[in-house]
């Protein structure tokens, strides 16, 4: 099933696939979900995490970019949006992915580049659009589109508060 497909200037067609079962180990398919980005001229990126509704969430996430494992971390209890940003280390680069105006607007940034993304609706968008700035390249575009298919609501303060009981219960069970 395709969640979103569209042209990206200079890179051709890009597809955001959700659910992407091929990125989730067979024995994990009951509890984990996957999403991936493919395209004519961009590296494939994929993400798998625990299911939340119809999307994988950030908890226990696994990220792959251009066939390489990538690391992610976040600080859910920071007061500012920048402090709660998802930190990503992929293909020798360090990124931050954060909410900007509201839960429909996000930005993926590294020192040389920025990709701002907008969804027509937070939950079930018909349109996903973006704008690249600086030295943004195909890796940046692939990651920015990928995170539009991940449940990132807890990057906002209200989302972090709403998800707090679940996180605490999950840790108590460990």
């Amino acid at each position: 099933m395709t969640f979103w497909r569209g042209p990206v200037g200079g890179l051709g067609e890009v597809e955001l696939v959700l659910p992407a079962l091929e990125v989730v180990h067979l024995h994990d398919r009951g509890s984990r979900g996957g999403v991936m980005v493919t395209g004519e001229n961009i590296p494939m990126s994929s993400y798998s995490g625990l299911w939340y509704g119809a999307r994988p969430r950030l908890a226990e996430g696994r990220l792959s970019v251009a066939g390489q494992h990538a690391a992610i971390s976040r600080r859910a209890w920071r007061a500012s949006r920048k402090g709660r940003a998802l930190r990503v280390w992929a293909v020798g680069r360090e990124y931050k992915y954060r909410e900007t105006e509201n839960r429909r607007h996000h930005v993926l940034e590294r020192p040389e580049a920025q990709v701002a993304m907008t969804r027509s609706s937070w939950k079930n968008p018909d349109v996903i659009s973006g704008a690249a700035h600086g030295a943004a390249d195909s890796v940046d575009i692939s990651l920015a589109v990928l995170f539009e298919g991940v449940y990132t609501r807890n990057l906002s303060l209200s989302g972090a508060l709403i998800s707090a009981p679940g996180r605490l219960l999950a840790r108590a069970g460990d």
Side-chain angles (χ1 to χ4, degrees), residues 66-83:
Q68 299 177 29
H69 173 74
I72 59 173
S73 74
R74 64 188 171 94
R75 296 181 176 141
W77 297 113
R78 298 289 180 167
S80 71
R81 287 180 175 152
K82 285 186 178 184

Side-chain angles (χ1 to χ4, degrees), residues 79-93:
S80 71
R81 287 180 175 152
K82 285 186 178 184
R84 283 187 310 278
L86 181 66
R87 290 169 178 76
V88 178
W89 294 269
V91 294
R93 299 175 178 177

Side-chain angles (χ1 to χ4, degrees), residues 30-84:
S31 61
R32 298 180 69 84
V35 61
M36 75 177 181
V37 172
T38 62
E40 298 172 25
N41 296 304
I42 66 166
M44 187 184 101
S45 296
S46 65
Y47 183 87
S48 69
L50 297 175
W51 276 120
Y52 186 83
R55 294 181 186 194
R57 60 186 175 133
L58 295 172
E60 299 180 32
R62 296 180 194 139
L63 176 64
S64 174
V65 180
Q68 299 177 29
H69 173 74
I72 59 173
S73 74
R74 64 188 171 94
R75 296 181 176 141
W77 297 113
R78 298 289 180 167
S80 71
R81 287 180 175 152
K82 285 186 178 184
R84 283 187 310 278

Side-chain angles (χ1 to χ4, degrees), residues 4-15 40 42 128-130 141 145:
W4 177 85
R5 176 184 293 150
V8 174
L11 297 175
E13 287 289 313
V14 174
E15 184 176 33
E40 298 172 25
I42 66 166
I128 297 173
S129 60
I141 301 295
V145 172

